[in-house]
């Protein structure tokens, strides 16, 4: 605990076009939880360079992501939203934790296996050690709760393992974080292959709803969504396409699953797709407008970037100093 509130940390990469999965699986919960915790929401630009990035695009996307956090309803006066690269303690703690993490643990990470298959020409050490940087992000703030989608669970488990290992050697140093997985929307699936996660790196643009898609594109993508030939709207694993559409509808409208199934009873897939499309437009259109407005407020955004990086660095340095003392680094002479 850093003050008398419990701490929440989460982050998102500014890589590719963010999808509805990022919003429903993570950002929406961040907003919901931000009144009750001391929240740190980072734009994790240091994670992004594990895959080659165009510098100008990365810079632009990172700023756009910061604006999206605010547009989604996170109050930058209350929550600490900042760029990971502005707080050097992340890199420093990551190095230390590297020395308490085993190669075998990293080798098992499914995201590493997937990404190294996709980027066979650039399997760099950063990609391998990615989960350790993520552990450093979380542990630096003595985090109690980490709201993420299901795909990040394995990384959170390793973070807990590293923290417990360190605490066992040196005595209580890090808070052991818990994951927060939302009841709906924790795994939004591809619209073209509902057995696969909706992902910003999918090559087929019809598979994902991007947060900046215009209303007609959103409606068209839902019309084309892959379903099945059962002709029955039910919430079950045997009908993954329909299940995914119902999940999206429920997450966007706040309807419970049983109520949604009842509401669509006896209706056709076409009607369901149309209703889901409209529910998504109703969420994304105002978000896009707010992003456009905030983008024009350069001085306001710059002020937030500066003030919040300082706040994050203040909290992070407390943990880093504690870690330095524990492992035996010499005291600084002031
Ligand atoms: P990233 O940028 O890939 O995704 C950001 C958040 O979106 C969630 N998400 C989804 N949720 C539901 N359905 C989907 N289809 C879907 N796709 C993505 C992710 O679970 C995530 O919560 N390594 C992280 C970023 C990170 C981080 C951290 C997160 C770095 N440090 C510390 C938490 C704590 C990542 O690449 O997320």
């Amino acid at each position: 605990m850093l003050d008398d509130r419990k701490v929440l940390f989460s982050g998102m990469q500014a890589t590719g076009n963010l999808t509805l999965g990022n919003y429903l699986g993570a950002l929406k919960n961040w907003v919901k939880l931000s009144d009750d915790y001391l929240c740190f929401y980072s734009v994790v630009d240091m994670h992004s360079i594990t895959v080659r990035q165009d510098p100008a695009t990365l810079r632009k996307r990172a700023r756009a992501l910061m604006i999206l956090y605010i547009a989604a309803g996170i109050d930058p006066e209350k929550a600490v939203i900042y760029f990971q690269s502005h707080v050097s303690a992340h890199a420093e703690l990551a190095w230390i934790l590297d020395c308490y993490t085993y190669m075998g643990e990293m080798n098992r990470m499914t995201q590493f296996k997937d990404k190294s298959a996709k980027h066979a020409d650039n399997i760099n050490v950063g990609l391998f050690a990615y989960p350790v940087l993520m552990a450093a992000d979380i542990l630096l703030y003595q985090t109690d709760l980490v709201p993420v989608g299901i795909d990040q669970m394995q990384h959170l488990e390793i973070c807990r393992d590293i923290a417990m290992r360190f605490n066992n050697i040196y005595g209580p140093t890090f808070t052991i974080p818990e994951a927060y997985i939302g009841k709906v929307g924790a795994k939004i699936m591809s619209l073209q292959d509902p057995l696969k996660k909706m992902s910003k790196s999918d090559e087929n643009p019809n598979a994902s709803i991007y947060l900046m898609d215009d209303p007609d594109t959103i409606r068209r993508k839902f019309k084309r969504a892959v379903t099945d030939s059962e002709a029955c709207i039910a919430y079950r694993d045997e009908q993954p396409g329909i299940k995914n559409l119902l999940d999206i509808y429920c997450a966007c409208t706040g309807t419970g699953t049983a109520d949604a199934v009842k509401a669509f009873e006896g209706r056709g897939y076409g009607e369901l797709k149309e209703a889901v499309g409209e529910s998504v437009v109703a969420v994304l259109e105002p978000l896009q407008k707010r992003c456009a407005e905030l983008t024009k407020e350069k001085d306001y955004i710059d002020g937030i970037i500066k003030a919040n990086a300082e706040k994050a660095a203040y909290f992070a340095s407390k943990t880093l100093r504690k870690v330095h003392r524990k492992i035996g680094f010499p005291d600084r002479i002031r």
Side-chain angles (χ1 to χ4, degrees):
M1 219 181 271
L2 293 171
D3 59 15
D4 52 355
R5 279 171 295 171
K6 289 211 164 199
V7 177
L8 184 152
F9 182 95
S10 204
M12 222 177 256
Q13 290 200 60
T15 325
N17 289 321
L18 292 199
T19 72
L20 187 63
N22 296 123
Y23 180 74
L24 297 179
L27 193 51
K28 192 163 178 276
N29 293 327
W30 296 8
V31 178
K32 197 174 80 185
L33 295 162
S34 61
D35 280 339
D36 300 329
Y37 290 83
L38 169 57
C39 296
F40 295 87
Y41 295 126
S42 187
V43 172
V44 292
D45 45 2
M46 288 161 65
H47 278 94
S48 294
I49 61 162
T50 53
V51 172
R52 210 61 84 222
Q53 303 292 333
D54 169 60
T57 310
L58 176 61
R59 194 171 297 122
K60 208 167 120 199
R61 283 198 168 138
R63 190 173 170 101
L65 182 53
M66 166 91 55
I67 289 172
L68 179 74
Y69 288 0
I70 305 168
I74 295 165
D75 180 350
E77 306 287 335
K78 286 197 203 145
V80 186
I81 55 178
Y82 68 99
F83 295 119
Q84 184 187 31
S85 62
H86 288 189
V87 180
S88 54
H90 287 255
E92 295 177 59
L93 183 61
W95 168 253
I96 293 169
L97 298 181
D98 275 340
C99 303
Y100 297 84
T101 308
Y102 299 111
M103 302 285 284
E105 289 176 311
M106 294 294 98
N107 261 327
R108 283 202 301 275
M109 297 290 111
T110 48
Q111 187 173 303
F112 172 67
K113 289 185 206 160
D114 291 351
K115 284 206 175 167
S116 42
K118 236 185 207 161
H119 303 277
D121 55 337
N122 182 21
I123 306 176
N124 58 70
V125 176
L127 191 63
F128 186 68
Y130 177 115
V132 185
L133 178 58
M134 185 162 156
D137 299 341
I138 297 168
L139 300 178
L140 263 184
Y141 299 95
Q142 303 295 347
T143 301
D144 297 283
L145 201 68
V146 186
V148 281
I150 286 173
D151 62 323
Q152 294 299 320
M153 272 311 282
Q154 200 185 28
H155 290 160
L156 203 71
E157 279 307 317
I158 202 79
C159 167
R160 287 165 55 87
D161 289 348
I162 296 169
M164 285 189 252
R165 181 173 306 144
F166 195 98
N167 286 356
N168 279 338
I169 304 173
Y170 298 106
T173 309
F174 297 121
T175 303
I176 308 297
E178 301 281 340
Y180 176 95
I181 305 280
K183 280 199 188 72
V184 276
K187 193 165 186 190
I188 300 296
M189 309 308 275
S190 152
L191 297 185
Q192 291 299 312
D193 176 358
L195 296 175
K196 242 175 57 185
K197 176 185 91 158
M198 184 182 284
S199 161
K200 50 193 165 197
S201 57
D202 201 310
E203 271 153 27
N204 181 353
N206 289 324
S208 306
I209 300 291
Y210 300 118
L211 296 184
M212 294 301 146
D213 276 346
D214 63 65
D216 284 343
T217 305
I218 296 172
R219 292 185 185 107
R220 183 174 44 76
K221 286 184 179 178
F222 278 108
K223 251 188 213 150
R224 290 190 186 165
V226 167
T227 50
D228 53 53
S229 52
E230 304 256 336
C232 157
I233 297 177
Y235 189 81
R236 53 196 203 108
D237 291 342
E238 292 74 13
Q239 292 181 260
I242 296 298
K243 190 176 177 210
N244 190 37
L245 290 176
L246 286 168
D247 271 340
I248 295 173
Y249 179 81
C250 290
C252 288
T253 58
T255 314
T257 311
D259 287 342
V261 171
K262 212 185 238 166
F264 287 106
E265 207 175 75
R267 292 163 71 185
Y269 286 178
E271 272 182 90
L272 173 66
K273 289 178 176 183
E274 204 178 309
V276 181
E278 290 312 322
S279 75
V280 172
V281 169
V283 169
L284 294 191
E285 216 179 10
L287 184 68
Q288 293 169 0
K289 281 205 180 115
R290 186 86 189 107
C291 281
E293 285 161 14
L294 282 167
T295 303
K296 290 184 211 140
E297 297 186 37
K298 185 175 178 307
D299 292 346
Y300 169 67
I301 300 294
D302 284 350
I304 287 167
I305 291 172
K306 182 168 186 292
N308 278 329
E310 283 165 9
K311 248 193 242 176
Y314 167 76
F315 287 115
S317 70
K318 282 195 193 186
T319 300
L320 194 62
R321 272 204 305 274
K322 186 171 169 188
V323 169
H324 281 192
R325 266 198 314 275
K326 296 259 182 178
I327 55 182
F329 287 174
D331 289 337
R332 285 179 199 230
I333 311 296
R334 291 177 198 280

